Amino acid sequence: MVTRVATYTNHTLLSDLALRNAARVTDLQNQASSGYKSRNYAGIADSTQRLLNLETEYSRTEQYLRNTTQGKLRLQSMETAVDSMLTIATEMKSLLIQASSAQQADDVNIRNEADQALQQIANLLNTNLDGRFLFAGGRSEEPAVDIEKIGAPDNYISKLNTSVTTGATLASLGVTGGAGGVLQIVSTDVDGNSTTSTVAYNSATDDIGDIMDAINNVTANRAIASLRGLGGEGPPLLNIENVGNGSITITETGTGDFLSKLGMEKMGNPRPDADYYMGDHQIMDLRVDDKYDVSYGILGDNPAFQKLVQGLGIAASTENQDALTVALGFINDAINELPNVQGQIGLDIANVERFEERHQDFKVFAAQAITDIETVDVPLTLAEVSQYTTALQASFISISRAADLSLANYLR
């Protein structure tokens, strides 16, 4: 076909329309097959900046959701551990009441039950999630609790119902024997190394302060003497205990009767200073939103845990009824305080979930917005393909018919 000057404009217009229809058909076919409007940003130039902003916010939201999921899992694990502690404490309270009221400490095997409960508490405080010890504060790579130290240390303690002062003379306490009394103290550390020391006293002239000074001033001795109540509470009593977590044995030679007159009994007497705790006091922060952190977590030296450990430590070391009453008091306090710990963890979980829900809502919105920008409605696109294909075919027919136009054909 030869394009004439007279038909050039018409031919060019029809060819341009056909080419545009062909390009549009090809573009729509690609969209229908891939589901996307374009394979690059150039194809959606008018929406590119909005898409980039949405994708950035979407990625940031996903990271926050990962943070909240991880934090919530940690808090839920802590909540479960504390709930188990409360169950153990309640069961031990029942056993202690049974042993105390019926004078059946031997029958219920209270010492063995308390020792097992103590080990369970230690394991719960060492709860680990993904290599992180949850109750250890910032030192999460190390166990929160030294199981070897959670038991009550060996300790000799004077009569529970008689307070003692440093100025109380041995004679006023009924000690006899004059200058012939000798205490022999054997202390053994956790590695089995032992030392032996002797403390001589004169019941006629010495007082409790003199005995304490004599014990504490023996440099080779691994024992210390102090005045404090059982478990740190109650009237002051004379305590002679091993330094650290080893064992101690005290015997008496000579003519004195210091041990018997003061009623010195060997039983566990845990200090109220959470010596078992190996972590630090750093409260963890969780980034849950732009410029917003949630502080969360409970430390292993929490007072509620300390009291539970103290009560169980005493119950695990003696069957003395007065001591078991003290132990019951500590466990009762722990039972009263542990729900507060649970409540704090619950508040932390609720706080994290509040941000988690917000981010989930935004993620759904952003995902839909990104989809609306990037993708096409395939059925609708296929309908458009059909329409443009028809138009393209019509363009080809028009071009073909225009090529047949001539003066001879017109005159005919």
Side-chain angles (χ1 to χ4, degrees):
M1 179 188 74
V2 177
T3 302
R4 303 175 181 85
V5 172
T7 62
Y8 177 78
T9 301
N10 187 46
H11 175 77
T12 301
L13 177 62
L14 290 174
S15 297
D16 183 59
L17 289 173
L19 289 173
R20 279 190 286 174
N21 279 337
R24 183 59 176 160
V25 168
T26 300
D27 187 39
L28 289 172
Q29 286 175 336
N30 288 334
Q31 291 181 11
S33 62
S34 67
Y36 288 91
K37 293 179 181 178
S38 175
R39 298 182 183 277
N40 51 50
Y41 288 119
I44 51 172
D46 58 334
S47 302
T48 297
Q49 189 58 54
R50 181 166 177 258
L51 176 61
L52 290 173
N53 292 340
L54 284 169
E55 287 177 335
T56 299
E57 289 298 322
Y58 187 88
S59 298
R60 185 181 297 121
T61 298
E62 282 192 316
Q63 181 59 56
Y64 288 143
L65 283 173
R66 284 192 290 270
N67 291 350
T68 56
T69 298
Q70 185 182 58
K72 191 165 73 169
L73 284 174
R74 292 173 183 171
L75 287 166
Q76 288 172 338
S77 296
M78 298 175 78
E79 187 177 43
T80 300
V82 175
D83 185 65
S84 298
M85 292 182 205
L86 185 57
T87 300
I88 292 171
T90 303
E91 292 174 350
M92 282 305 305
K93 175 182 176 179
S94 298
L95 289 176
L96 283 169
I97 292 174
Q98 179 183 349
S100 177
S101 61
Q103 301 290 308
Q104 293 179 340
D106 289 336
D107 294 339
V108 298
N109 198 7
I110 196 69
R111 294 183 65 174
N112 184 61
E113 293 290 341
D115 184 65
Q116 290 185 21
L118 200 58
Q119 297 305 311
Q120 291 173 351
I121 296 299
N123 290 328
L124 289 169
L125 288 174
N126 280 336
T127 296
N128 185 297
L129 181 65
D130 295 331
R132 184 185 188 89
F133 291 92
L134 303 182
F135 291 98
R139 294 183 57 189
S140 57
E141 72 283 355
E142 299 292 338
V145 170
D146 185 341
I147 294 180
E148 295 297 325
K149 291 184 178 181
I150 201 166
D154 271 356
N155 181 51
Y156 281 79
I157 192 167
S158 59
K159 294 177 184 178
L160 299 182
N161 55 2
T162 304
S163 62
V164 180
T165 64
T166 56
T169 63
L170 301 187
S172 68
L173 297 172
V175 180
T176 62
V182 178
L183 298 178
Q184 187 175 61
I185 304 173
V186 179
S187 300
T188 305
D189 62 21
V190 290
D191 297 322
N193 302 312
S194 62
T195 60
T196 302
S197 60
T198 58
V199 175
Y201 65 85
N202 187 330
S203 63
T205 59
D206 291 340
D207 57 25
I208 293 296
D210 295 325
I211 298 296
M212 292 173 60
D213 290 340
I215 293 173
N216 294 334
N217 291 333
V218 177
T219 56
N221 196 8
R222 292 195 179 94
I224 58 172
S226 61
L227 292 181
R228 68 176 189 278
L230 182 59
E233 295 191 359
L237 309 171
L238 177 62
N239 293 262
I240 305 175
E241 61 188 308
N242 180 275
V243 177
N245 267 356
S247 61
I248 185 173
T249 301
I250 304 176
T251 56
E252 189 165 12
T253 60
T255 60
D257 52 6
F258 179 90
L259 296 180
S260 61
K261 292 298 183 178
L262 268 73
M264 300 296 292
E265 181 179 352
K266 188 176 183 178
M267 68 174 68
N269 186 15
R271 294 178 179 274
D273 57 6
D275 187 51
Y276 61 85
Y277 181 59
M278 297 291 103
D280 59 21
H281 293 88
Q282 179 182 349
I283 300 298
M284 303 306 296
D285 289 328
L286 182 70
R287 176 56 60 93
V288 294
D289 204 352
D290 291 346
K291 300 180 182 180
Y292 193 92
D293 295 335
V294 172
S295 297
Y296 73 99
I298 302 295
L299 302 179
D301 64 347
N302 186 278
F305 303 154
Q306 289 187 43
K307 291 176 181 178
L308 182 54
V309 167
Q310 283 181 282
L312 293 176
I314 294 171
S317 65
T318 182
E319 294 169 2
N320 181 288
Q321 290 300 315
D322 292 331
L324 293 182
T325 299
V326 174
L328 180 60
F330 279 119
I331 292 175
N332 264 328
D333 289 343
I335 291 174
N336 292 332
E337 294 179 19
L338 284 172
N340 295 332
V341 177
Q342 287 179 306
Q344 179 60 56
I345 296 174
L347 287 175
D348 290 339
I349 291 175
N351 199 13
V352 171
E353 286 180 337
R354 178 163 55 88
F355 284 94
E356 182 182 45
E357 183 177 355
R358 180 188 303 174
H359 291 313
Q360 286 174 339
D361 290 343
F362 177 79
K363 183 179 177 182
V364 172
F365 160 76
Q368 184 59 52
I370 290 171
T371 298
D372 291 342
I373 294 173
E374 291 184 331
T375 63
V376 296
D377 185 333
V378 174
L380 180 61
T381 303
L382 289 174
E384 288 187 81
V385 170
S386 178
Q387 293 175 355
Y388 278 95
T389 300
T390 301
L392 180 61
Q393 290 173 347
S395 298
F396 289 151
I397 292 172
S398 297
I399 292 173
S400 175
R401 288 180 177 177
D404 291 337
L405 289 177
S406 64
L407 179 59
N409 289 337
Y410 175 76
L411 292 175
R412 284 202 301 263

